[in-house]
Amino acid sequence: NELVALGNVVWFDTGAGGGIANNGIQDGTESGAAGVEMQLFRQGETTPILTTTTDASGYYTFDLLLPGTYYVHIPASEFQVGGPLYGYVSSLGNGSDETSDQDRDENGVDQPDLATTGISSTLYILQPDSERTGEDQSNYTGVLDDDNVNFTDDFGFYRPNSLVALGNLVWLDTGAGDHTNNGIFDADEVGAAGVTVTLYISGQATPILTTTTDISGYYQFDNLNPGTYIVRLPAENFQPGGPLELYISSIGNGNDEFTDQDGDENGVDQPALATTGISSTVYVLQPGTEPITDDESSYTGVLTNANVNFTADFGFYLDVGLVLDKQVLVGVAVPNAPVTYVLQVTNTGTIPFDAVTITDTLPTTDFHYVAGSSSPVEPDVVSEPVLVWHLGRLDAGQRISVSFVVTVTKGVLGLFQNVALSEGEFPRGTVTDTDDIPISIQDPAIVLHKQIESFDDDMIAPNFVTFTIDITNVGVSVIDFLPMWDLYDPTYLAFVQATPAPDDSINDGNLRWSDLTSAAPYGFGHNLMPGDVFHIVTVFSVTQDLQPPITTTNTARVEGATDIEDNDANQDEDTVIITQTIPSAVNLLSFSASREETSVLLSWQTAVEVDNFGFRILRATGPDFTLASEIAFVPSVCHGNLCGASYAYHDQTASPDQAYWYWLADVDTSGNETIHGPAQVGVEGLAVRHEIYLPLVLRGR
């Protein structure tokens, strides 16, 4: 009377004889499973204390047991090839002891792979005189009283050929680029683990099964009766602390496209998942009719492909967006000049960022942050070339900008890329975005262009050449120091005037403007702005006939210019070659000097004189014209009329033991003069005759 017993039946839940398949109830004429090995374990022990085998009707008994807590186990071998339960799975039920007899109690604690794990019953606490009475004990052959025998430990199994399964994937649709929120499970995306998934019979308000996605995001509801089902992810998944907190359903409208998880998002979108959860489309499941193209690699059951529908997929993404836009106010700058960058960060999603950080990396250590230039706040970190701003919270749709100024070391030139990184922190992680922008650092630049504006080539003296010089600022900075030189050959040209005037106008072949940006009359009185032009006009008279092949040049040159940032501009020059025939006031045929006993005889002959007033005679003891001084003036014998003549002059002041160089300057009626020579004579005893012969040019008026 102090002992107890435990049993009772293992049956095939096939629905035979009017029963209902896989309902966890032995009904109709469903038969028992004979020859199944049954093992009895004490709670907490791993070795069976008793083993028996079901009889021809599927019954088993463990009799005359000491009071205690027990469970019954069917080993894995019974479900393997050759075993009495090969190909069978546990019928509907969750292993709870409902204290009812074998006709209404399936107590196997379901396992997904019985051929590996076997199956165990729930725990039974057996005590004498306390067991349920009234259960069917017709197969009991022992001597214990009814209240010492528990015959409610039953196991139902069925072959799944007529059953179906539904799954399959919950994933995070957050891949890179256009993979985000495309409703497709792409290779760079992962499943969502630990998501609670429930199964409903369509039209019913209470779930019939609940499971959780595995580490790869897969789930399955196996061994279902044919019917109409809906899969649902409860709201708890989307609430704070849930595996899908802040996530929303990715693109898709709940249509079952009968494709695998790589292209089928079946969640029927809801606006507030943390309140409503989300359901799938309705699935009508029938054996032998399910899509055979779906990916069932995660399926762990024994149903055939045509009985498994693994197209119930749910994709979710975080509507989190952070866009960084980096701009530079000028794309080209000079060293030392302030360069302003603007960084703009926008929250383009629906999830607020708890904190936003911007990190700007300047191109090189030659870029220098100007302290105090950042707006609206200074960087939290200044460690050139890195600048960091911690900007705090950024709500959905908000935008924040910072601007700052840098300068570049003098002499550092080239194209430089400036890179910025923004980071937005939110409860599920961090989102980043980058942007970069180039800037070209150049020295200031000018272009000089010189040309002949006009010729005065008539026979009336004097004759003039007018030049224009254009200096253009083709750089991006302001030129505030601009010297210029104009170089010419005084043998052929004599400076007349210029606008603006040069700092000096000595006819030595070199006109100089020390700074064209200075005040008038030697400059324009203002700086040369980018794109602006300084226009200079110079006028020269022709001092000696220019007839091909005789030519002369006039060169304008800028050298040593600087901008307001103290950067050196380039040197530039332009040369004009004068090839057009331009007569002087006098066409000189010859000019010679010869030693006589007490003097030097100077002789010259003109072919034609035009408005000639006379001739100045200059003398020096060397070939340097700047050292020459006037010794005489000889009037023209033509008296301003067009004629030619011969002239002679005796230099009575010449020393016989000194060599001399003589120049002849014809002076026209307007005061302009043309220099000829030099003619040279040696000391006494070494006298040389030096004559200059020029081609005869005759022109009428």
Side-chain angles (χ1 to χ4, degrees), residues 239-421:
Q239 295 169 356
L244 295 175
E245 179 187 0
L246 299 179
Y247 281 89
I248 61 176
S249 180
S250 61
I251 192 169
N253 61 0
N255 292 327
D256 181 8
E257 302 166 3
F258 288 95
T259 58
D260 64 18
Q261 71 273 15
D262 296 330
D264 188 22
E265 201 294 301
N266 299 116
V268 180
D269 296 341
Q270 298 293 327
L273 300 184
T275 301
T276 63
I278 189 170
S279 297
S280 72
T281 184
V282 175
Y283 288 87
V284 180
L285 304 182
Q286 294 295 327
T289 65
E290 298 308 317
I292 61 174
T293 57
D294 53 354
D295 182 0
E296 297 178 7
S297 58
S298 64
Y299 179 56
T300 59
V302 297
L303 300 182
T304 61
N305 184 274
N307 286 29
V308 177
N309 187 320
F310 263 26
T311 67
D313 309 315
F314 295 83
F316 298 95
Y317 77 102
L318 292 166
D319 187 14
V320 56
L322 188 69
V323 174
L324 172 65
D325 180 51
K326 182 176 179 65
Q327 298 178 355
V328 61
L329 296 191
V330 291
V332 182
V334 296
N336 293 332
V339 175
T340 300
Y341 287 101
V342 178
L343 304 172
Q344 181 174 274
V345 182
T346 305
N347 185 341
T348 59
T350 59
I351 300 173
F353 293 109
D354 299 323
V356 171
T357 299
I358 298 178
T359 301
D360 190 274
T361 302
L362 300 174
T364 71
T365 54
D366 288 310
F367 281 65
H368 308 291
Y369 171 67
V370 178
S373 67
S374 181
S375 176
V377 293
E378 283 290 285
D380 297 285
V381 176
V382 178
S383 180
E384 293 180 351
V386 175
L387 310 174
V388 181
W389 290 262
H390 298 299
L391 299 177
R393 182 179 177 87
L394 188 64
D395 288 326
Q398 278 192 335
R399 175 180 300 160
I400 188 169
S401 297
V402 295
S403 63
F404 64 97
V405 178
V406 300
T407 59
V408 183
T409 302
K410 183 178 179 179
V412 175
L413 308 174
L415 184 66
F416 299 93
Q417 204 77 10
N418 189 289
V419 180
L421 166 71

Side-chain angles (χ1 to χ4, degrees), residues 29 72 76 110 176 188 222 229 242 320 495 546 557 586 606 673 683 686:
T29 60
V72 176
D110 294 343
D188 59 350
D222 202 14
Y229 295 91
V320 56
F495 173 69
L546 293 174
R557 176 184 299 156
V586 173
T606 62
E673 63 181 38
V683 298
L686 295 174

Side-chain angles (χ1 to χ4, degrees), residues 206-252:
T206 302
I208 61 170
L209 290 172
T210 299
T211 188
T212 303
T213 57
D214 65 17
I215 193 172
S216 299
Y218 293 108
Y219 74 93
Q220 67 182 36
F221 294 110
D222 202 14
N223 303 319
L224 304 174
N225 288 321
T228 304
Y229 295 91
I230 293 174
V231 178
R232 182 170 179 77
L233 276 56
E236 65 194 60
N237 291 300
F238 305 93
Q239 295 169 356
L244 295 175
E245 179 187 0
L246 299 179
Y247 281 89
I248 61 176
S249 180
S250 61
I251 192 169

Side-chain angles (χ1 to χ4, degrees), residues 118-133:
I119 189 169
S120 299
S121 73
T122 183
L123 291 173
Y124 287 86
I125 302 173
L126 304 181
Q127 294 295 327
D129 302 323
S130 63
E131 297 305 316
R132 184 181 186 279
T133 60

